[in-house]
Amino acid sequence: RIAEKVIESIKETGNTKIRLKTDGEPALVQVQERIAEKRGQATIPEDPPAYDPQSNGEAERAVQEVKAQLRATKLGLEARLGATIRAESPILEWMIPHAAHTINRYLIGKDGRTAYYRIHGRHVHGRVFEFGEQVLAKPKKRKRKQLKQRTLDARMVGATWVGYSARSNEHIVVLAKGGPAIKVRTATAAAEGRQWDSTAIE
């Protein structure tokens, strides 16, 4: 599954021929080989000496940036909730990619541009929520037959906001009672006083 995730991330950059560098750790070299095998484009592997962070300075800095953003996101959510998020909490599965996406979308580089701008040629637009915030989301229309059977259902449903889809730019929300997670085009803030719910996060 890790290989598929990396391949999706590579697709988002728009690159075809790439150099795929690891830190030389055997487990990561296996992932690297799997990615090269599954990609349809040229993938040039690079492997410096194992466990040598000095040879991967740029990648190590990126790791530190993601860790720092992850820490800030976790602390911010804990402050909002007034509760500690456990290491085994499922919300962390959403927090990790959100930290990386936040950096790509909003961290301005030395050239005055974000990574998102360099790839897409435009800035990010649209409503932004805080990670873990409770929102009202509008699910996509179901098939006409299903809609006829559920005409009295609420158009907006309560959900937890966990980020954006990198490909479609839609909101990703987790519905009440643990899911499922869905993509929606429309989301609005929950009523004042209902934006933070530790039970929903748990």
Side-chain angles (χ1 to χ4, degrees):
R1 184 176 174 187
I2 295 172
E4 284 74 13
K5 289 276 189 184
V6 175
I7 291 170
E8 278 301 309
S9 294
I10 294 169
K11 284 181 183 176
E12 289 165 15
T13 69
N15 289 305
T16 52
K17 181 179 179 180
I18 65 163
R19 290 185 300 121
L20 188 60
K21 190 174 182 180
T22 75
D23 63 0
E25 185 181 343
L28 286 179
V29 171
Q30 287 184 350
V31 173
Q32 177 194 53
E33 291 171 351
R34 178 94 172 139
I35 292 166
E37 180 185 310
K38 292 179 74 70
R39 285 192 80 233
Q41 295 87 12
T43 306
I44 303 167
E46 285 190 12
D47 300 310
Y51 311 106
D52 181 12
Q54 298 298 325
S55 61
N56 270 330
E58 193 172 338
E60 288 297 323
R61 283 194 300 275
V63 169
Q64 293 306 315
E65 282 178 355
V66 173
K67 282 183 177 179
Q69 183 61 44
L70 178 61
R71 191 179 306 114
T73 304
K74 180 175 180 290
L75 290 172
L77 181 56
E78 288 177 334
R80 289 291 198 183
L81 298 174
T84 301
I85 296 172
R86 297 173 295 108
E88 64 273 19
S89 175
I91 196 69
L92 288 174
E93 286 189 39
W94 295 104
M95 196 180 291
I96 294 168
H98 176 70
H101 288 159
T102 299
I103 291 168
N104 288 338
R105 285 167 171 262
Y106 302 111
L107 181 65
I108 297 174
K110 292 179 181 178
D111 60 356
R113 298 174 175 179
T114 63
Y116 184 94
Y117 187 93
R118 292 186 205 107
I119 293 169
H120 300 283
R122 64 180 187 274
H123 295 294
V124 177
H125 296 289
R127 178 67 187 271
V128 179
F129 298 94
E130 285 190 55
F131 182 85
E133 184 176 345
Q134 298 306 298
V135 299
L136 294 174
K138 185 178 181 181
K140 295 174 185 175
K141 290 183 179 179
R142 298 178 178 85
K143 294 178 183 177
R144 190 176 299 275
K145 185 176 180 181
Q146 292 173 315
L147 282 171
K148 285 181 180 178
Q149 294 172 349
R150 306 188 65 180
T151 52
L152 298 180
D153 282 3
R155 285 185 153 190
M156 305 291 279
V157 296
T160 301
W161 192 87
V162 293
Y164 280 104
S165 165
R167 182 168 289 190
S168 67
N169 228 25
E170 294 171 293
H171 301 279
I172 301 176
V173 298
V174 179
L175 300 182
K177 299 180 181 178
I182 61 172
K183 297 176 189 175
V184 298
R185 291 192 186 94
T186 305
T188 62
E192 192 70 33
R194 297 187 179 181
Q195 293 166 295
W196 304 101
D197 185 342
S198 57
T199 302
I201 295 298
E202 190 62 32

